């Protein structure tokens, strides 16, 4: 019962009378947000599908093998977008967490919670594809290279963030605690990155294979950009689906609670 | 400052009374370090090579050990509510408690570390830097740990969650603590690593009280 | 003009390339579909509950008292 009341309070967030609605609060209204999401979703999903089809064609068929790395360069088109999106999604979560703490914006919590599993997937895929790329390049599935190690730590940060959401039953409390954790994490990411790079140069003074190569050729840029666009559009689409689902779920719980208390 | 010392003394005294003192942390530290020669083999050159890393990693785990109780007991018996209502800000209380945690776990670890280092066949050049790097780094462990403890204070079964939250944040301290010792052993200059380690600890001391106090306020609502 | 065999065969890298693309696209597709299905299922549940409620009484749909107007359809 306790859970339900708190959920209800969280769900039925409303502006106190007399408070002017700032642009920040405009989309705090779930109904308005749902309408906006419904306007965006057809576009974002269409862009995602089209860009994935185009990107896969460019990456797998239309682009030439690289002068130095040969055909293995095709692994980059699927590894690099995931690696970028994994960091970007964490930054997104941290940004929404700040919004949630400063403006108490309920949708910011929802967005951060909905984005976390997507970010975890991107991070996991960046690790897997990095590892698959490493086998032909380094001759082993895993090398403690600075970039891979940083991504691995990011993976742990995602796990901790999602574990907090799961562990704390009271969703309102969970949102606050998770937001603090996300901000602590984002402050630490540059420090962790710096220390991992320091550690790496200490132990591997010779230059290892660099994921981006010396310079990106034009023929490699296009497949990469289209794939990045596809992943971005995919992120927006799935994020909106998950946020909508979260809103509907809270609405359902609130209705059930009302029913029970009648 | 007075209230700071009062809380510090109170927490240290409570820890001693509960038998939750250095003894436990040191025993754990000792056992973890002992596992490595048994796992890796007793060859002295190998042990010397990994000694700094093993001792530091074991120190991280020992610091985790008593984090669970940092705020939990006070949260459950309502003392934390009183702290939140009383005059010194909660940030202050958190800092005092983190220092108390360092006194009962960090300090004994620092004292035990040289003996373990000898067991691990650490070269003599590294011994002093080991003590120095632990002195600089372990307060950071207690302060960062306080964040993890505060975030999980409402959970009955927070045990497994705290390491998942805290260990990734400990990585920089591990890296620079070990790199200071290794550079002393292998003929480098340990000073830059020690300075960065100090910066990380100071940063943690500045940031952690605010983050932990915010988490405690959320828990107390 | 490349034949299908030329496209599919990336020299010694073929297994790595095909497996990583398969894993990524598979996981991405699964994640997207499960998110979409969850939304659809929840939406259906909500519509069903709303349907039974409005049959019973029009009033209970809008309590208004506790500010649930944020969620009521207007």
């Amino acid at each position: 019962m306790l859970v339900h009341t708190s959920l209800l309070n969280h769900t039925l967030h409303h502006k106190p009378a007399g408070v002017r609605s700032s642009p920040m609060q405009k989309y705090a209204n779930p109904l308005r947000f749902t309408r906006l999401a419904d306007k965006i979703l057809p576009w974002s999903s269409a862009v995602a599908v089209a860009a994935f089809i185009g990107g896969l064609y460019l990456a797998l068929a239309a682009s030439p093998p690289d002068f130095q790395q040969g055909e293995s360069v095709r692994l980059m088109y699927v590894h690099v977008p995931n690696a970028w999106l994994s960091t970007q999604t964490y930054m997104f979560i941290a940004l929404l967490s700040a919004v949630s703490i400063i403006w108490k914006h309920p949708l910011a919590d929802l967005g951060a919670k909905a984005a976390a599993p997507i970010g975890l997937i991107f991070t996991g895929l960046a690790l897997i594809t990095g590892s698959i790329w490493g086998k032909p390049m380094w001759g082993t599935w895993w090398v403690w290279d600075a970039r891979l190690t940083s991504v691995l730590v990011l993976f742990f940060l995602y796990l901790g963030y999602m574990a907090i959401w799961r562990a704390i039953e009271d969703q309102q409390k969970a949102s606050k605690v998770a937001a603090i954790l996300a901000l602590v994490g984002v402050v630490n990411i540059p420090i962790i990155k710096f220390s991992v790079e320091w550690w790496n140069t200490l132990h591997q003074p010779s230059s290892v294979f660099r994921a981006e190569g010396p310079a990106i050729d034009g023929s490699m840029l296009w497949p990469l950009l289209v794939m990045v666009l596809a992943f971005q559009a995919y992120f927006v689409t799935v994020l909106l689906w998950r946020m909508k689902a979260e809103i509907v779920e809270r609405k359902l719980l609130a209705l059930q609670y009302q029913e029970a208390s009648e | 400052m007075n209230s700071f010392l009062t809380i510090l003394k109170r927490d240290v005294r409570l820890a001693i009374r509960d038998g939750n003192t250095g003894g436990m942390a040191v025993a754990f530290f000792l056992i973890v370090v002992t596992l490595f020669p048994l796992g890796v083999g007793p060859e002295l050159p190998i042990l010397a090579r990994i000694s700094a890393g093993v001792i530091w990693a074991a120190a991280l785990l020992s610091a985790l050990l008593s984090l669970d109780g940092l705020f939990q007991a006070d949260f459950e018996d309502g003392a934390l509510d009183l702290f939140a209502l009383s005059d010194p800000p909660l940030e202050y209380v958190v800092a005092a408690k983190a220092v108390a945690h360092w006194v009962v776990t960090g300090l004994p670890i620092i004292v035990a570390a040289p003996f373990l280092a000898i067991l691990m066949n650490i070269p003599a050049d590294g011994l002093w830097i080991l003590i120095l790097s632990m002195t600089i780094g372990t307060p950071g462990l207690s302060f960062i740990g306080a964040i993890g403890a505060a975030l999980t204070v409402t959970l009955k079964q927070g045990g497994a969650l705290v390491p998942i939250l805290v260990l990734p944040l400990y990585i920089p301290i591990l890296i620079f603590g070990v790199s200071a010792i290794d550079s002393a052993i292998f003929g480098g200059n340990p000073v830059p690593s020690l300075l960065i380690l100090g910066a990380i600890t100071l940063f943690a001391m500045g940031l952690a009280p605010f983050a932990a106090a915010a988490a405690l306020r959320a828990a107390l609502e | 003009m490349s034949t299908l065999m030329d496209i599919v065969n990336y020299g010694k890298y073929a297994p790595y390339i095909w497996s990583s693309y398969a894993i990524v696209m598979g996981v991405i597709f699964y994640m997207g579909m499960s998110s979409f299905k969850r939304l659809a299922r929840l939406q259906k549940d909500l519509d069903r509950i709303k349907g039974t409620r409005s049959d019973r009484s029009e009033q209970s749909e809008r309590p208004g008292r506790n500010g649930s107007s944020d969620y009521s359809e207007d």
Side-chain angles (χ1 to χ4, degrees):
Chain A
M1 213 28 93
L2 197 76
V3 183
H4 284 259
T5 5
S6 63
L7 261 171
L8 190 71
N9 287 336
H10 196 47
T11 315
L12 305 178
H13 164 93
H14 62 107
K15 291 186 290 261
V19 173
R20 274 180 299 126
S21 83
S22 66
M24 211 53 228
Q25 263 149 3
K26 196 175 167 196
Y27 292 104
N29 182 329
L31 188 63
R32 246 188 230 150
F33 166 79
T34 305
R35 279 200 198 123
L36 180 72
D38 286 339
K39 262 181 216 147
I40 297 173
L41 271 168
W43 293 97
S44 62
S45 52
V47 170
V49 171
F52 266 125
I53 293 169
L56 286 177
Y57 171 70
L58 285 175
L60 289 173
S63 67
D66 181 50
F67 165 64
Q68 279 181 321
Q69 302 174 37
E71 298 280 1
S72 77
V73 73
R74 299 186 197 285
L75 288 163
M76 179 185 76
Y77 306 134
V78 79
H79 169 75
V80 169
N82 274 305
W84 282 357
L85 267 285
S86 65
T87 322
Q88 186 195 302
T89 307
Y90 198 89
M91 297 299 153
F92 178 78
I93 291 171
L95 186 74
L96 288 190
S97 301
V99 169
S100 143
I101 286 177
I102 298 166
W103 287 289
K104 313 255 181 270
H105 196 300
L107 276 174
D109 295 333
L110 268 175
K113 188 189 180 190
I118 316 175
L120 182 80
I121 292 283
F122 287 148
T123 317
L125 288 176
L127 287 172
I128 292 171
T129 51
S131 169
I132 292 175
W133 199 0
K135 184 63 183 166
M137 288 294 116
W138 298 317
T140 164
W141 293 108
W142 184 267
V143 166
W144 288 94
D145 147 84
R147 196 175 288 110
L148 270 181
T149 311
S150 300
V151 177
L152 184 63
V153 176
L154 186 64
F155 189 77
F156 296 143
L157 291 179
Y158 271 112
L159 282 183
Y161 180 81
M162 289 174 65
I164 274 282
W165 269 108
R166 248 163 215 252
I168 303 178
E169 228 175 327
D170 177 342
Q171 291 292 287
Q172 202 171 4
K173 239 172 223 180
S175 74
K176 275 185 191 146
V177 172
I180 295 165
L181 177 64
L183 289 180
V184 169
V186 86
V187 167
N188 273 283
I189 282 178
I191 305 174
I192 294 171
K193 252 194 130 70
F194 166 70
S195 47
V196 167
E197 260 152 36
W198 171 288
W199 160 82
N200 197 246
T201 49
L202 210 68
H203 292 275
Q204 281 165 302
S206 61
S207 75
V208 288
F209 165 76
R210 295 176 69 86
E212 276 124 15
I216 282 193
D217 187 65
S219 64
M220 288 154 67
L221 196 60
W222 273 111
L224 183 61
L225 284 182
V226 176
M227 282 304 265
V228 168
L229 174 71
F231 276 92
Q232 298 278 12
Y234 170 86
F235 173 71
V236 171
T237 308
V238 178
L239 177 75
L240 291 177
W241 280 343
R242 294 186 78 89
M243 285 177 76
K244 276 182 73 181
E246 198 79 21
I247 290 173
V248 173
E249 192 171 43
R250 289 182 185 189
K251 214 192 290 189
L252 262 174
L253 279 169
L255 280 174
Q256 279 163 358
Y257 173 72
Q258 247 177 17
E259 197 123 293
S261 64
E262 259 166 26
Chain B
M1 207 59 220
N2 227 343
S3 52
F4 187 90
L5 283 177
T6 315
I7 298 168
L8 174 57
K9 274 187 208 151
R10 167 188 176 271
D11 266 41
V12 172
R13 224 175 270 146
L14 277 176
I16 291 171
R17 202 197 60 196
D18 295 348
N20 203 354
T21 45
M24 281 281 278
V26 168
F28 183 76
F29 191 38
L30 181 66
I31 290 169
V32 172
V33 172
T34 309
L35 293 179
F36 282 85
L38 294 174
V40 176
E43 291 89 355
L44 292 178
I46 295 176
L47 291 183
R49 175 66 194 81
I50 63 170
S51 56
V54 167
I55 290 169
W56 256 107
L60 300 196
L61 297 176
S62 311
L64 277 180
L65 199 61
S66 52
L67 276 179
D68 253 355
L70 195 52
F71 302 111
Q72 194 108 47
D74 284 344
F75 176 73
E76 276 163 10
D77 67 12
L80 213 54
D81 286 287
L82 290 180
F83 281 134
L85 291 173
S86 56
D87 197 31
L90 205 48
E91 284 80 2
Y92 229 66
V93 178
V94 170
K97 281 176 156 294
V99 174
H101 178 264
W102 180 76
V103 170
V104 290
T105 58
L107 215 49
I109 287 173
I110 297 171
V111 174
F115 300 100
L116 290 176
I118 291 165
L119 286 187
M120 288 296 289
N121 188 34
I122 203 170
D125 300 330
L127 205 54
W128 287 107
I129 299 297
L130 171 75
I131 299 170
L132 197 57
S133 76
M134 291 233 139
T135 313
I136 296 172
T138 45
L141 299 181
S142 293
F143 272 83
I144 294 172
I147 304 176
L151 290 169
T152 54
V153 73
T154 53
L155 302 174
K156 294 266 181 312
Q157 301 290 322
L161 193 51
V162 176
I164 296 174
L165 299 182
V166 167
L167 281 177
L169 308 179
Y170 276 178
I171 289 172
I173 294 182
L174 173 70
I175 288 173
F176 288 104
V178 175
S179 105
I181 304 166
D182 276 354
S183 25
I185 296 174
F186 301 109
N189 182 5
V191 176
S193 296
L194 289 174
L195 287 178
I196 297 169
L197 189 62
I200 293 169
T201 295
L202 285 177
F203 183 70
M205 289 170 121
L207 176 82
F210 294 96
L216 290 177
R217 283 198 194 97
L220 288 171
E221 262 172 23
Chain C
M1 195 61 211
S2 53
T3 66
L4 186 67
M5 265 324 282
D6 290 331
I7 294 172
V8 176
N9 182 8
Y10 299 118
K12 58 179 174 159
Y13 297 116
Y16 303 112
I17 290 173
W18 284 110
S19 60
S20 57
Y21 275 79
I23 291 170
V24 168
M25 295 319 290
V27 170
I28 289 278
F29 184 75
Y30 175 78
M31 174 101 190
M33 278 325 275
S34 65
S35 302
F36 182 74
K37 276 184 187 155
R38 175 161 167 258
L39 172 62
R41 180 171 46 79
L42 288 166
Q43 190 74 56
K44 219 173 85 188
D45 286 357
L46 184 72
D47 291 346
R48 206 190 54 226
I49 288 186
K50 278 209 165 148
T52 58
R53 286 175 65 87
S54 53
D55 286 347
R56 204 146 27 91
S57 81
E58 285 296 318
Q59 289 296 313
S60 65
E61 184 74 13
R62 279 169 188 263
R65 189 165 33 98
N66 51 7
S68 69
S69 55
D70 268 7
Y71 278 98
S72 58
E73 313 286 341
D74 50 358

